[in-house]
Structures are given as C-alpha cells and as structure tokens.
C-alpha cells in the first residue's frame, strides 16, 4: 500500500512570487506520481505526471515538479504565480504495474491562495 | 486532453429516494472508470473501480448495495445512490482511463449531491 503526505494544508503567496508545494510519498513498490489541480466546484485537472525518465517534469500553466527517489518527494514548483493559480492542488501516486490501470492514492491537498 | 463529462452537475433529492449519476468519456474509450467521493475541504476517497463489462470492485467500507455501479459500455458508467440519506450528501467525481497502467486518469467535473 502507498500513502501521500502534503504537509502544507494552506499556502498563501504574493502574486508573481515563486511557490513550492510539498509532496512526500511512501510505497513498497515503484510508483507513478501526479499533480492535479482543482478549481472551486470543479473536477480535477492533470498538471503533470512522472512515469519514468527525466526526474524534472514540466506541466501545464508553467508548473514543474521534480521526482527525488532518495527523499521520496515530488514537490511542485512555479517561478512566478498568478491570481488564476488560486486553487486546491493534490499530489497522487499509483503503483507501477504491467496490467491495467491502478487506482490513485491522493494526498489531503494544499490550498494555494495568491495575494494580489 | 481527453474529456469526461458528468450528469447532472447538481442534484437535490429527498431522503429515501435514489439518484443516478452518469459519467461519460466523450472522445476516448474508457476501459476503466473510477468513482470518488469528496467531502468539503478534504481529499478524494476512492469508492470503487469498474472495468467495462464486469462487476465493480469496491473499496473497503463502501456499501456496494447502496452505491450501485454499472459500466455497461466503453464510454458510460453510472453510479446510483440508493435510498439516499443526508449523510450521503457529497461531491461525487468520476474518472476514466484506458487499460494500460501508464494511461492517465481523466476526471469529470463532479456532481454535487444534496439529500434533504
């Protein structure tokens, strides 16, 4: 079984400042890693994912994340945030398998609030 | 990216009635669909996984007789909340993906269920 920890439940950031949202995971097997964003009263939108290869993954809306196996982390970063980035961000993992689509395990989410 | 729709987006019903929520993959064939439940300001909790043409696999603690899932085609899955009670009020989100373990889960916009 795997678990995901997002230590920061809320992160306020001034507009145009950089931001890092932290995500740590625990698993006994190899995992795929994901970041999703959820705007109010909407479903989840995929920001980026790590399956294999380069540990630095670039996503939509200027976000990127770096997979660190030794620290079991997958922190999300953006060099300059915008008001429109205000949302809930979820980190998720799934086990790597050869068969079928494995379920996602989500962290508890981080609410990013951009201050004008 | 792929599009997943849910209908209805909001539903209010009386206690004791049943409610059906539809989840459709609009531009791809979804061999696997997932149903999640999200309480206010909390993360997504997986309720069940369904593969087209077979019975759904429910997570521990989820009553399969209360939350009926049907995945009759590669583009449609339904969740029926039977004999709904106020404690069933929640945000229900579905996701859809292909068969491969590397296939991304695409999420629907969610359905807000309120049971009076």
């Amino acid at each position: 079984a795997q678990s995901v920890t997002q230590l920061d439940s809320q992160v306020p950031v001034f507009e145009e400042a950089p931001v890092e949202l932290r995500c740590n995971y625990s698993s006994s097997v190899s995992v795929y890693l994901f970041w999703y964003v959820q705007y109010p009263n909407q479903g989840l939108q995929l920001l980026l994912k790590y399956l294999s290869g380069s540990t630095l993954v670039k996503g939509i809306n200027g976000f990127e994340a770096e997979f660190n196996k030794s620290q079991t982390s997958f922190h999300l970063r953006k060099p300059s945030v915008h008001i429109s980035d205000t949302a809930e961000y979820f980190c998720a993992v799934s086990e790597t398998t050869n068969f079928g689509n494995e379920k996602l395990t989500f962290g508890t989410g981080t609410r990013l609030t951009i201050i004008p | 990216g792929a599009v997943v729709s849910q209908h209805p987006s909001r539903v209010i019903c009386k206690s004791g009635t049943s409610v059906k929520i539809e989840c459709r993959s609009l531009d791809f064939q979804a061999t696997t669909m997932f149903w999640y439940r999200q309480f206010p300001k909390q993360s997504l909790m997986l309720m069940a996984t369904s593969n087209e043409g077979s019975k759904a696999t429910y997570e521990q603690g989820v009553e399969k007789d209360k939350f009926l899932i049907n995945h009759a085609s590669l583009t449609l899955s339904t969740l029926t909340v039977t004999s709904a009670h106020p404690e069933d009020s929640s945000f229900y989100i579905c996701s859809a993906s292909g068969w491969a373990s590397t296939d991304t889960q695409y999420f629907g916009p969610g359905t807000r269920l309120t049971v009076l």
Side-chain angles (χ1 to χ4, degrees):
Chain A
Q2 59 264 40
S3 65
V4 179
T5 301
Q6 291 181 251
L7 286 173
D8 305 307
S9 60
Q10 296 187 62
V11 173
V13 180
F14 284 104
E15 193 173 13
E16 298 184 4
V19 68
E20 178 180 85
L21 304 183
R22 296 182 293 169
C23 172
N24 289 88
Y25 69 92
S26 173
S27 177
S28 57
V29 299
S30 298
V31 295
Y32 298 137
L33 295 151
F34 307 81
W35 275 100
Y36 285 88
V37 60
Q38 184 181 34
Y39 298 102
N41 297 312
Q42 294 186 29
L44 274 68
Q45 180 181 4
L46 180 68
L47 275 178
L48 48 78
K49 61 181 177 181
Y50 172 80
L51 302 180
S52 65
S54 173
T55 56
L56 183 62
V57 180
K58 293 190 182 296
I60 62 171
N61 300 342
F63 284 94
E64 64 180 31
E66 185 155 21
F67 170 54
N68 188 318
K69 188 174 182 179
S70 62
Q71 296 185 5
T72 60
S73 67
F74 190 55
H75 300 331
L76 180 71
R77 302 185 183 97
K78 185 169 183 177
S80 176
V81 295
H82 189 264
I83 289 288
S84 59
D85 293 322
T86 295
E88 191 85 19
Y89 291 80
F90 291 97
C91 180
V93 301
S94 70
E95 292 185 359
T96 63
T97 66
N98 293 321
F99 307 103
N101 197 296
E102 288 296 321
K103 62 183 182 181
L104 291 169
T105 299
F106 285 88
T108 50
T110 298
R111 173 157 296 280
L112 176 62
T113 301
I114 308 303
I115 305 166
Chain B
V3 179
V4 176
S5 69
Q6 277 184 246
H7 178 80
S9 58
R10 290 177 177 270
V11 57
I12 301 173
C13 69
K14 293 183 179 179
S15 185
T17 61
S18 295
V19 175
K20 180 184 284 189
I21 302 170
E22 292 186 350
C23 176
R24 293 181 183 272
S25 56
L26 299 184
D27 50 5
F28 69 104
Q29 292 186 328
T31 52
T32 306
M33 285 187 169
F34 302 83
W35 285 95
Y36 296 85
R37 184 173 178 176
Q38 185 180 32
F39 291 102
K41 301 188 179 183
Q42 294 188 30
S43 188
L44 282 73
M45 299 300 295
L46 180 67
M47 298 174 66
T49 303
S50 72
N51 292 300
E52 184 265 337
S54 59
K55 289 185 179 180
T57 301
Y58 289 81
E59 294 298 299
Q60 192 172 6
V62 177
E63 299 176 62
K64 60 177 133 183
D65 293 332
K66 180 169 187 64
F67 297 99
L68 301 178
I69 292 171
N70 185 291
H71 192 167
S73 77
L74 287 172
T75 59
L76 173 65
S77 176
T78 59
L79 167 67
T80 301
V81 183
T82 62
S83 186
H85 291 284
E87 58 265 30
D88 298 324
S89 298
S90 191
F91 195 49
Y92 292 88
I93 304 175
C94 73
S95 71
S97 69
W99 172 247
S101 61
T102 55
D103 285 347
T104 299
Q105 284 187 36
Y106 294 97
F107 285 78
T111 297
R112 173 77 57 194
L113 170 63
T114 302
V115 185
L116 302 177

